[in-house]
Amino acid sequence: MLKSRLRTAALAASFSVASLAVLANAETLPTAGEMFNKMGFGINIGNTMEVPGNPTGWGNKFPTEAYIDSVKAAGFNTIRIPCAWDSHASNGVINESWMDSVQTVVDMCMRAGLVTVLNIHWDGGWLEENLKDEKKDEVNAKQKSYWTQIATRFKDYNENLLFASANEPATTDDNYRHETEILMVYHQTFVDAVRATGGNNASRTLVIQGPSTSIDRTTEVMPVSKLPKDVIENRLMVEVHFYDPYTYTLLNDIVDWGAQVYPQYYWGDDLATGADIVHNCGYNAWAGAMGDKCTSAQIQDQFGKMKTNFVDKGVPVIIGEFGANDRVGVLTGDNYAKHRKGRLAYYDAVMKLAKQNKVVPIAWDTGHEGENNMTIIRRQSAPDGSVFDMDVLKIMRSAYGLGDYVNSGITHVENFKAGGETTDIVNGAQLGEGLARATPGILRVGNRLESAGEIRLFNLNGTLVRTAINGMSLENIPHGIYIAKGAGAMVRVDIR
């Protein structure tokens, strides 16, 4: 961690006395630009922690250390944790056990040495779908409350933990300028709430999402001059997403948009002919003819806008999500081979142009392994953490100058927290057998938990599963990961 003392006197003319009080004794973390240099390329833990109310509700198990370590071993330097909070809160207060569950994932990512981006995701659209005057005060109060709680829990974590204000704040074609003004209120609240918690949060890099995370809309109405005001310079990044063109990357079914628009399967030079041209990337359904074919030039046009408008002005950029559906199962034989060739060329162009334009590409990965998947690292089938799509991984590695993939393991980083009041969650399997009953703590002995007092066992949704005094049997509890609390300790319990 790079450290230097803040010069509060130099800031006094610009910032309030209250702001300076937070910063006066803090050690400064690296700038956003310095963090960009560490981030390389990344991956999302998609369709997991952001699932409203239940991280396993969309088909993935709770993230494992084997999976997280494999992500690092595969060459990724950055991991993004889309996360739900509102569905785990009551009256603006986040369920403590849910916070423990999120910390469990954050700790695994930090221990693996990954730059970790933790956000507030869609979660029913409480923020993202409410860029509205009549909802502004209600949403803003939640934004302040949630980020105060999140930031407080993680305030002692080092610079490798980044906070991201939102996910894809939705704007409309008719009113996006005013909606962006409301969005900037939410972003300012995010920055102010995080900074106010002190500790390493006083200088932590924070990530600001553009309207609809659209490159065109972000560069038009959210220039550098409109970014939130901060009490410390050079600690903001901008986030956009890239699923262009939608008809190629995400559309799975025929839709009627004034014309019959078909999913587009073929990208680049190797295109379909005859009646199948409706599935070529670049086909114009309204003209009923092939338009300009899709090439890397369109990707460069978009990424170049972010470089000119933000990177060249000192504000780093992350592409928080990108990807294109693999039409395996939708197509077969030569058609699938043609699609696959184009899809790999698409990923190759995105990766190379991201590096060229100095933006961080973070692949969307949901773990799904069937039709229309974007999965790179396996999570839903064995072996957990193995490479699911080696071709895509090779392309990503090659763009960043890495050679052939060999999983030779990783070295864990244990010193990712400064001294402070952050609560540690230890693995019950790692606790020493010699722990005395009178010593504060929880000891797992076979299929039991032992403690000098009350033990409370929670699932990763924060639901209380079982309570006991001194000793708790783990019999008849469904397999999974749990958090046990009691006697001044928290222990992660893996029941298999």
Side-chain angles (χ1 to χ4, degrees), residues 107-352:
D107 285 0
M108 288 190 290
C109 295
M110 297 288 284
R111 189 171 290 113
L114 291 158
V115 176
T116 302
V117 182
L118 179 65
N119 81 352
I120 284 182
H121 213 71
W122 174 73
D123 200 15
W126 68 269
L127 183 151
E128 296 188 10
E129 297 175 10
N130 280 309
L131 306 184
K132 304 171 183 176
D133 289 307
E134 64 271 22
K135 286 288 189 176
K136 182 171 66 175
D137 291 345
E138 175 188 341
V139 171
N140 209 38
K142 282 188 176 182
Q143 177 82 330
K144 179 179 181 180
S145 176
Y146 293 158
W147 275 115
T148 297
Q149 294 168 72
I150 298 164
T152 298
R153 171 60 73 101
F154 295 105
K155 69 179 181 179
D156 296 313
Y157 282 58
N158 71 17
E159 70 272 14
N160 283 347
L161 179 61
L162 278 53
F163 295 145
S165 176
N167 174 47
E168 292 179 346
T171 55
T172 62
D173 292 343
D174 294 335
N175 199 30
Y176 66 88
R177 291 181 179 277
H178 181 56
E179 290 161 344
T180 300
E181 292 174 353
I182 296 173
L183 173 62
M184 299 317 294
V185 172
Y186 299 160
H187 284 331
Q188 187 66 60
T189 295
F190 158 67
V191 171
D192 292 346
V194 172
R195 295 292 182 236
T197 61
N200 284 343
N201 291 334
S203 55
R204 187 177 307 285
T205 292
L206 305 178
V207 187
I208 306 301
Q209 293 64 44
S212 299
T213 52
S214 157
I215 291 176
D216 288 335
R217 201 157 281 184
T218 298
T219 54
E220 179 186 354
V221 297
M222 200 186 81
V224 169
S225 61
K226 295 286 183 70
L227 291 178
K229 305 303 179 186
D230 201 355
V231 294
I232 185 169
E233 294 182 340
N234 302 321
R235 297 309 193 282
L236 299 181
M237 291 185 176
V238 166
E239 178 181 355
V240 290
H241 294 174
F242 188 74
Y243 292 111
D244 289 357
Y246 173 84
T247 48
Y248 173 71
T249 62
L250 292 173
L251 184 65
N252 295 333
D253 300 301
I254 301 171
V255 292
D256 188 344
W257 290 337
Q260 291 287 301
V261 179
Y262 288 76
Q264 296 177 347
Y265 302 145
Y266 310 113
W267 188 92
D269 294 323
D270 194 2
L271 299 176
T273 57
D276 205 27
I277 66 169
V278 297
H279 293 298
N280 288 337
C281 189
Y283 178 81
N284 187 328
W286 295 268
M290 188 65 193
D292 293 335
K293 66 181 180 181
C294 296
T295 69
S296 62
Q298 291 118 341
I299 301 173
Q300 171 55 35
D301 176 69
Q302 290 291 287
F303 288 6
K305 291 176 184 178
M306 295 307 294
K307 184 175 187 297
T308 298
N309 288 278
F310 294 99
V311 176
D312 291 347
K313 295 179 180 180
V315 179
V317 170
I318 69 171
I319 309 296
E321 297 179 15
F322 81 90
N325 283 341
D326 189 322
R327 309 298 182 164
V328 61
V330 177
L331 302 174
T332 59
D334 291 344
N335 287 339
Y336 178 68
K338 187 191 303 288
H339 158 73
R340 180 73 175 173
K341 178 181 176 182
R343 182 173 181 265
L344 294 176
Y346 177 86
Y347 271 81
D348 185 60
V350 169
M351 292 300 296
K352 288 177 177 175

